[in-house]
Amino acid sequence: MHILLAMCVMAHRTGAELFVRDVALALLKRGHTVTVYAPVMGEMVDELRAQCVACITDLRAVAQPPDLIVGNTHDETVACLLRFAGVPAISICHDRTAPHGRPPRFTRIRQYIAVDENCAERLYLEHGIARADIAIVGNGVDLQRFVPRRPLPAQPMRAAIFSNYATHSAETAVIRAACAARGLTLDVIGAGVGQQARSPELLLGQYDLVFAKARAAMEAMAVGCAVILFNENMGLGGLVTPAHMQDWHRWNFGRRLLRQAVTPESVDLALGAYRPQDAATVSAYVREHASLPATVQHLEALALQVLADEAARPPVSAEQELQEVGTHAGDLALQLQDLHAQLSQTARHAHALNEELTQVRRHREALLASASWRITAPLRWLAARSLERKHETPVADRSPRP
């Protein structure tokens, strides 16, 4: 197949961006031709291009229509559908709340996918897509990169917050204090603190216990770290143990599970649940049931089924296409209205700030031109000179000592 993967941004190494990168490379290895489309791209696409994956920011660059569109964000999926008439599509929802997670409603979208039950709920509770029409294809860990670490110690010694959303916040301070009380050092890894890890597989094995969620949590579990589910400003989910690893996997070890407040008591309770053997059991489960090959095989099977079914379907009528395009054009018009309102408000604020700056400049010019400013000039000079002398080191103190 020639598969076109659509994404809004390929620059920041978020979960959805890394999903697209990993799937593109895996599909390429399985013999497919892959093109990645994103209006915004960064250095992370260099590794795709190095493996001969085409990466484009303009759909007009694609001369040969793909066999299938796999859309990962709303607007970019719609753009691909409008550019390539008659091509069927799969739509993947990666986020429960973000605008880009809205599912496009086109007849040519033959399969809706959610990365977990939380995203599936968005599709069938908020957008009217039948639950039976939604497949769950979770994030997968590249087991060739995230290899098992040595067995965990009886008591953890090093911990890390592994998240691009982490900062040196009050919640981080609470976690740091709770770790210190149990003799653990804590590092913070992520873009929010200027420590984004381009190769986390080389770092995670250095830690016994990791605070993370979703994809990052699964990568840490696959390595063999004990994992406490956490995301800044979302909450704490507790330590992942064999008792609930299967159920939590359905929710992608993600946002839906972060229901506890980050307090000294809740963090200490999670730290106290640390058991090396439990972490080993969880790691074995993740490596067996949440691998990248399993994710890609499932996605590939759905893609092949869509194409097989498409051959037996009548083509979508021009009238229906126009109606669906009209609906999305209306949505786009509303978005443009909102953007225009935001820009207008920003312009008004900028004008008000400029007026204030003009007033300040006028007051300054009036002050500098006043007689009182000229008369007090010697006093200001004396005050400044006095302050300089106060901070000067006496000559005697500057002489070399024997």
Side-chain angles (χ1 to χ4, degrees):
M1 294 178 287
H2 176 198
I3 300 173
L4 176 60
L5 293 169
M7 181 66 194
C8 57
V9 176
M10 289 292 289
H12 306 306
R13 297 182 183 272
T14 62
E17 291 169 89
L18 292 172
F19 178 96
V20 171
R21 181 203 65 183
D22 289 350
V23 165
L25 292 174
L27 287 171
L28 185 72
K29 290 180 180 178
R30 296 175 73 84
H32 305 291
T33 300
V34 181
T35 299
V36 173
Y37 161 65
V40 179
M41 290 188 173
E43 52 80 25
M44 70 177 295
V45 302
D46 293 344
E47 53 195 294
L48 291 173
R49 289 178 171 140
Q51 298 296 322
C52 301
V53 174
C55 299
I56 61 168
T57 58
D58 187 345
L59 289 172
R60 291 173 295 182
V62 183
Q64 182 72 27
D67 299 309
L68 182 70
I69 297 163
V70 178
N72 294 271
T73 47
H74 179 278
D75 294 349
E76 291 64 38
T77 304
V78 172
C80 291
L81 286 164
L82 297 181
R83 174 68 177 85
F84 301 107
V87 176
I90 290 174
S91 174
I92 304 178
C93 177
H94 291 270
D95 194 286
R96 177 66 188 261
T97 60
H100 65 64
R102 303 186 332 272
R105 302 307 302 271
F106 270 79
T107 302
R108 280 191 285 128
I109 295 179
R110 305 302 192 183
Q111 178 68 65
Y112 288 94
I113 291 175
V115 297
D116 67 354
E117 289 291 345
N118 196 31
C119 291
E121 284 189 356
R122 179 177 195 175
L123 300 184
Y124 70 81
L125 292 179
E126 301 175 32
H127 295 280
I129 299 170
R131 180 63 183 86
D133 295 335
I134 302 168
I136 303 292
V137 179
N139 286 297
V141 180
D142 187 344
L143 301 182
Q144 294 183 345
R145 292 174 55 216
F146 293 90
V147 298
R149 53 157 288 159
R150 64 184 183 278
L152 289 173
Q155 295 298 325
M157 294 176 286
R158 297 192 67 193
I161 297 176
F162 178 38
S163 169
N164 284 330
Y165 303 102
T167 65
H168 296 300
S169 65
E171 291 183 340
T172 299
V174 169
I175 293 173
R176 190 180 302 280
C179 287
R182 286 183 172 267
L184 282 81
T185 60
L186 180 75
D187 294 334
V188 182
I189 304 169
V193 292
Q195 298 293 334
Q196 186 171 36
R198 293 188 58 182
S199 301
E201 67 275 15
L202 303 179
L203 293 176
L204 289 173
Q206 303 173 22
Y207 298 96
D208 307 318
L209 195 146
V210 173
F211 293 82
K213 77 167 179 67
R215 178 194 178 96
M218 284 188 281
E219 290 173 346
M221 286 184 272
V223 169
C225 306
V227 172
I228 295 173
L229 299 185
F230 163 74
N231 196 88
E232 189 167 307
N233 296 321
M234 292 185 189
L236 195 74
L239 188 77
V240 182
T241 68
H244 39 57
M245 61 187 180
Q246 294 184 33
D247 182 54
W248 286 10
H249 186 198
R250 293 175 52 242
W251 302 96
N252 198 39
F253 300 99
R255 175 182 302 195
R256 185 65 170 269
L257 304 171
L258 307 180
R259 297 181 174 179
Q260 302 177 42
V262 180
T263 66
E265 295 76 19
S266 64
V267 177
D268 186 69
L269 183 64
L271 291 172
Y274 172 90
R275 303 288 185 276
Q277 186 53 51
D278 284 354
T281 301
V282 170
S283 182
Y285 171 84
V286 168
R287 296 187 71 83
E288 181 178 357
H289 298 283
S291 69
L292 178 60
T295 292
V296 175
Q297 287 171 17
H298 192 181
L299 181 60
E300 182 187 49
L302 291 170
L304 290 169
Q305 188 63 53
V306 165
L307 290 181
D309 293 344
E310 193 68 15
R313 293 177 186 270
V316 179
S317 68
E319 293 78 8
Q320 188 168 359
E321 286 273 10
L322 286 173
Q323 182 179 1
E324 292 171 350
V325 169
T327 299
H328 285 280
D331 292 342
L332 180 59
L334 291 175
Q335 292 179 37
L336 290 175
Q337 287 179 10
D338 291 341
L339 180 60
H340 182 266
Q342 293 173 21
L343 290 174
S344 298
Q345 184 177 18
T346 302
R348 287 194 296 271
H349 285 309
H351 179 73
L353 289 173
N354 188 58
E355 287 291 320
E356 291 181 15
L357 181 59
T358 300
Q359 286 293 100
V360 169
R361 285 173 176 167
R362 288 173 179 168
H363 286 306
R364 179 178 179 275
E365 291 169 0
L367 176 63
L368 294 178
S370 66
S372 61
W373 183 262
R374 293 193 299 272
I375 292 171
T376 57
L379 295 177
R380 290 195 304 277
W381 181 87
L382 287 172
R385 184 61 185 146
S386 175
L387 187 63
E388 290 175 3
R389 288 177 176 175
K390 183 178 179 180
H391 293 288
E392 286 181 354
T393 304
V395 175
D397 290 347
R398 284 183 276 160
S399 60
R401 295 182 183 274

